[in-house]
Amino acid sequence: MTDRALAVVRAGALTTVQDQGRPGHAHLGVPRSGALDGPAAALVNRLVGNPPEAAVLETTLNGCAVRPRSAVTVAVGGAPCPVFVDGRPVAWGAPVHVPGGALLSVGTAVSGVRSYVGVSGGVAVEPVLGSRSTDLLSGLGPPPLTDGMVLPLGRPTAPHARVDLAAQSGPPAELVLRVTLGPRADWFTAAAVRTLTTHTYRVSSASNRIGLRTEGPALERARPGELPSEGMVLGAIQVPPDGRPVIFLADHPTTGGYPVIAVVRAEDLPATAQAAPGTPVRFVAVRRR
């Protein structure tokens, strides 16, 4: 078989196609989307010889299984997990040759949440607004993987990396997020602001690609009522009526009416992709740059 495609044998709990996202369309109500763990997605692309903007598979917790129709090079990174080719263990975090017709199985994450599968040539589904990313909020891009789906692949443009194993940071034992207070910190009492930056929260099991929800002390409002809807940015910490902070991630809505008490530094957000439910979360206030 010479056609370049992946047949999905086991889709897993939630496996989506992701690339660097579609920034610049918030005025149309379209979130950025893209890989939650951008550095992990970029690394697996580099390992298989793809440019950084190539689309990869993002799995959630229990991996996936795919069968390429022609020989490919793959790399699995992000959350550590077992990887098999036709039942034979192969390296995680390194380029691996997969013959045409062989079964690539990406297993359950040993730690962390999301593993990334890079394939030589990249996943070549049709782009929407310049991106191949699945957006769970707006529905743009390809749907999440289902058993039996066939994904087209592009042509390789460069040889794979010559490494035995690529160094990757492990999933966080504790999520420490630097935040800039505002723009609506004045909607909360001084005690609530202190609570946010001095108490430890935990990642809620209700978290997803739209937002990381937390469990912990509620933040008390200084003002009643709600705001008119206003623009929301990646990393905004919105506080709904229950008082528990929610960190907006890649598929977040572009507007919202709950007050934003602070915003997480962009460089700290990739770690949220690998924070499993129950992971401690601390918010550290820093000055605007």
Side-chain angles (χ1 to χ4, degrees):
M1 291 179 289
T2 59
D3 57 327
R4 292 191 55 79
L6 290 178
V8 179
V9 177
R10 182 179 66 84
L14 177 63
T15 302
T16 58
V17 176
Q18 298 295 339
D19 56 17
Q20 294 178 324
R22 47 181 69 85
H25 301 289
H27 63 294
L28 301 176
V30 176
R32 178 187 181 114
S33 197
L36 286 191
D37 190 341
L43 178 59
V44 296
N45 269 329
R46 185 176 180 183
L47 288 173
V48 299
N50 289 343
E53 65 272 16
V56 302
L57 299 181
E58 178 184 277
T59 74
T60 307
L61 292 174
N62 71 343
C64 66
V66 295
R67 194 183 302 277
R69 291 181 171 177
S70 58
V72 295
T73 300
V74 302
V76 181
C81 61
V83 184
F84 303 89
V85 174
D86 277 346
R88 176 176 59 88
V90 295
W92 170 89
V96 173
H97 176 74
V98 181
L103 181 67
L104 171 71
S105 297
V106 178
T108 298
V110 176
S111 58
V113 177
R114 295 173 176 88
S115 298
Y116 291 84
V117 185
V119 184
S120 53
V123 180
V125 295
E126 193 68 26
V128 178
L129 294 177
S131 170
R132 295 181 166 91
S133 289
T134 300
D135 181 346
L136 298 180
L137 183 66
S138 71
L140 293 177
L145 269 60
T146 55
D147 295 355
M149 180 183 289
V150 176
L151 300 172
L153 297 176
R155 294 285 175 183
T157 57
H160 65 77
R162 302 294 179 179
V163 296
D164 293 326
L165 184 67
Q168 301 185 56
S169 57
E174 180 184 46
L175 200 56
V176 180
L177 302 175
R178 293 170 294 174
V179 302
T180 301
L181 293 174
R184 300 297 181 185
D186 59 338
W187 276 61
F188 298 88
T189 64
V193 174
R194 285 195 302 272
T195 295
L196 177 74
T197 57
T198 58
H199 284 67
T200 298
Y201 287 80
R202 292 191 178 274
V203 175
S204 166
S205 59
S207 301
N208 54 30
R209 283 184 48 85
I210 296 170
L212 185 147
R213 295 183 177 274
T214 64
E215 298 170 347
L219 302 180
E220 183 184 8
R221 291 273 196 94
R223 298 187 188 184
E226 300 299 340
L227 286 160
S229 287
E230 54 187 3
M232 292 289 142
V233 299
L234 185 68
I237 303 176
Q238 195 180 59
V239 183
D242 69 2
R244 272 73 182 184
V246 178
I247 304 166
F248 275 178
L249 302 180
D251 291 353
H252 72 85
T254 56
T255 61
Y258 299 140
V260 172
I261 192 171
V263 178
V264 178
R265 285 275 176 92
E267 52 267 39
D268 292 353
L269 288 173
T272 64
Q274 304 300 352
T279 300
V281 184
R282 288 195 297 116
F283 299 102
V284 179
V286 294
R287 293 181 179 179
R288 287 185 175 88
R289 290 181 290 187

mmCIF file of all heavy atoms in Angstrom, residues 55-72:
data_model
loop_
_atom_site.group_PDB
_atom_site.id
_atom_site.type_symbol
_atom_site.label_atom_id
_atom_site.label_comp_id
_atom_site.label_asym_id
_atom_site.label_seq_id
_atom_site.Cartn_x
_atom_site.Cartn_y
_atom_site.Cartn_z
ATOM 1 N N ALA A 55 0.448 19.192 11.960
ATOM 2 C CA ALA A 55 -0.584 18.708 12.873
ATOM 3 C C ALA A 55 -0.200 17.348 13.453
ATOM 4 O O ALA A 55 0.352 16.483 12.757
ATOM 5 C CB ALA A 55 -1.924 18.609 12.168
ATOM 6 N N VAL A 56 -0.498 17.161 14.736
ATOM 7 C CA VAL A 56 -0.212 15.922 15.463
ATOM 8 C C VAL A 56 -1.511 15.420 16.089
ATOM 9 O O VAL A 56 -2.559 16.070 15.996
ATOM 10 C CB VAL A 56 0.839 16.170 16.566
ATOM 11 C CG1 VAL A 56 2.128 16.730 15.971
ATOM 12 C CG2 VAL A 56 0.307 17.135 17.639
ATOM 13 N N LEU A 57 -1.445 14.266 16.731
ATOM 14 C CA LEU A 57 -2.577 13.762 17.511
ATOM 15 C C LEU A 57 -2.350 14.071 18.982
ATOM 16 O O LEU A 57 -1.261 13.822 19.509
ATOM 17 C CB LEU A 57 -2.739 12.258 17.317
ATOM 18 C CG LEU A 57 -3.009 11.758 15.900
ATOM 19 C CD1 LEU A 57 -3.172 10.240 15.902
ATOM 20 C CD2 LEU A 57 -4.235 12.433 15.301
ATOM 21 N N GLU A 58 -3.354 14.595 19.639
ATOM 22 C CA GLU A 58 -3.327 14.840 21.081
ATOM 23 C C GLU A 58 -4.262 13.841 21.746
ATOM 24 O O GLU A 58 -5.469 13.857 21.498
ATOM 25 C CB GLU A 58 -3.770 16.268 21.391
ATOM 26 C CG GLU A 58 -3.807 16.596 22.885
ATOM 27 C CD GLU A 58 -4.343 18.000 23.148
ATOM 28 O OE1 GLU A 58 -3.566 18.963 23.065
ATOM 29 O OE2 GLU A 58 -5.562 18.121 23.415
ATOM 30 N N THR A 59 -3.720 12.935 22.565
ATOM 31 C CA THR A 59 -4.541 11.942 23.247
ATOM 32 C C THR A 59 -4.809 12.384 24.676
ATOM 33 O O THR A 59 -4.115 13.255 25.216
ATOM 34 C CB THR A 59 -3.876 10.553 23.263
ATOM 35 O OG1 THR A 59 -2.792 10.557 24.210
ATOM 36 C CG2 THR A 59 -3.340 10.181 21.891
ATOM 37 N N THR A 60 -5.818 11.790 25.298
ATOM 38 C CA THR A 60 -6.186 12.136 26.669
ATOM 39 C C THR A 60 -6.270 10.876 27.517
ATOM 40 O O THR A 60 -7.130 10.023 27.297
ATOM 41 C CB THR A 60 -7.548 12.867 26.689
ATOM 42 O OG1 THR A 60 -7.509 13.965 25.779
ATOM 43 C CG2 THR A 60 -7.853 13.393 28.089
ATOM 44 N N LEU A 61 -5.349 10.729 28.425
ATOM 45 C CA LEU A 61 -5.299 9.687 29.449
ATOM 46 C C LEU A 61 -5.033 8.278 28.919
ATOM 47 O O LEU A 61 -4.059 7.646 29.320
ATOM 48 C CB LEU A 61 -6.578 9.692 30.304
ATOM 49 C CG LEU A 61 -6.755 10.924 31.196
ATOM 50 C CD1 LEU A 61 -8.110 10.892 31.893
ATOM 51 C CD2 LEU A 61 -5.633 11.018 32.224
ATOM 52 N N ASN A 62 -5.879 7.744 28.028
ATOM 53 C CA ASN A 62 -5.710 6.328 27.686
ATOM 54 C C ASN A 62 -5.235 6.092 26.256
ATOM 55 O O ASN A 62 -5.372 4.987 25.732
ATOM 56 C CB ASN A 62 -7.006 5.546 27.961
ATOM 57 C CG ASN A 62 -8.119 5.881 26.990
ATOM 58 O OD1 ASN A 62 -8.064 6.899 26.306
ATOM 59 N ND2 ASN A 62 -9.135 5.021 26.950
ATOM 60 N N GLY A 63 -4.662 7.110 25.612
ATOM 61 C CA GLY A 63 -3.988 6.920 24.331
ATOM 62 C C GLY A 63 -4.916 6.579 23.182
ATOM 63 O O GLY A 63 -6.113 6.894 23.183
ATOM 64 N N CYS A 64 -4.363 5.902 22.189
ATOM 65 C CA CYS A 64 -5.119 5.527 20.989
ATOM 66 C C CYS A 64 -4.323 4.452 20.257
ATOM 67 O O CYS A 64 -3.198 4.116 20.651
ATOM 68 C CB CYS A 64 -5.349 6.736 20.072
ATOM 69 S SG CYS A 64 -3.834 7.403 19.337
ATOM 70 N N ALA A 65 -4.899 3.907 19.195
ATOM 71 C CA ALA A 65 -4.202 2.943 18.337
ATOM 72 C C ALA A 65 -4.543 3.269 16.889
ATOM 73 O O ALA A 65 -5.709 3.463 16.554
ATOM 74 C CB ALA A 65 -4.600 1.510 18.677
ATOM 75 N N VAL A 66 -3.508 3.339 16.044
ATOM 76 C CA VAL A 66 -3.703 3.674 14.629
ATOM 77 C C VAL A 66 -2.871 2.725 13.775
ATOM 78 O O VAL A 66 -1.859 2.167 14.223
ATOM 79 C CB VAL A 66 -3.319 5.141 14.331
ATOM 80 C CG1 VAL A 66 -4.248 6.110 15.045
ATOM 81 C CG2 VAL A 66 -1.862 5.417 14.708
ATOM 82 N N ARG A 67 -3.304 2.568 12.517
ATOM 83 C CA ARG A 67 -2.599 1.683 11.589
ATOM 84 C C ARG A 67 -2.254 2.481 10.321
ATOM 85 O O ARG A 67 -3.158 2.849 9.553
ATOM 86 C CB ARG A 67 -3.475 0.483 11.226
ATOM 87 C CG ARG A 67 -2.712 -0.651 10.543
ATOM 88 C CD ARG A 67 -3.656 -1.787 10.139
ATOM 89 N NE ARG A 67 -4.417 -2.364 11.243
ATOM 90 C CZ ARG A 67 -3.950 -3.301 12.057
ATOM 91 N NH1 ARG A 67 -2.706 -3.763 11.899
ATOM 92 N NH2 ARG A 67 -4.721 -3.784 13.017
ATOM 93 N N PRO A 68 -0.974 2.813 10.094
ATOM 94 C CA PRO A 68 -0.616 3.536 8.876
ATOM 95 C C PRO A 68 -0.731 2.632 7.651
ATOM 96 O O PRO A 68 -0.434 1.433 7.713
ATOM 97 C CB PRO A 68 0.840 3.944 9.130
ATOM 98 C CG PRO A 68 1.353 2.922 10.089
ATOM 99 C CD PRO A 68 0.192 2.536 10.958
ATOM 100 N N ARG A 69 -1.147 3.202 6.536
ATOM 101 C CA ARG A 69 -1.294 2.426 5.311
ATOM 102 C C ARG A 69 0.015 2.309 4.536
ATOM 103 O O ARG A 69 0.100 1.512 3.590
ATOM 104 C CB ARG A 69 -2.377 3.052 4.436
ATOM 105 C CG ARG A 69 -3.772 2.897 5.049
ATOM 106 C CD ARG A 69 -4.837 3.498 4.145
ATOM 107 N NE ARG A 69 -6.178 3.164 4.632
ATOM 108 C CZ ARG A 69 -7.301 3.596 4.067
ATOM 109 N NH1 ARG A 69 -7.243 4.393 3.005
ATOM 110 N NH2 ARG A 69 -8.468 3.247 4.550
ATOM 111 N N SER A 70 1.006 3.119 4.911
ATOM 112 C CA SER A 70 2.347 3.000 4.342
ATOM 113 C C SER A 70 3.344 3.277 5.463
ATOM 114 O O SER A 70 2.963 3.762 6.535
ATOM 115 C CB SER A 70 2.539 3.974 3.173
ATOM 116 O OG SER A 70 2.323 5.310 3.595
ATOM 117 N N ALA A 71 4.600 2.948 5.237
ATOM 118 C CA ALA A 71 5.609 3.099 6.281
ATOM 119 C C ALA A 71 5.747 4.561 6.705
ATOM 120 O O ALA A 71 5.770 5.475 5.866
ATOM 121 C CB ALA A 71 6.947 2.568 5.791
ATOM 122 N N VAL A 72 5.828 4.794 8.005
ATOM 123 C CA VAL A 72 5.966 6.148 8.555
ATOM 124 C C VAL A 72 6.958 6.117 9.713
ATOM 125 O O VAL A 72 7.287 5.054 10.255
ATOM 126 C CB VAL A 72 4.616 6.705 9.062
ATOM 127 C CG1 VAL A 72 3.638 6.893 7.920
ATOM 128 C CG2 VAL A 72 4.018 5.798 10.137
#
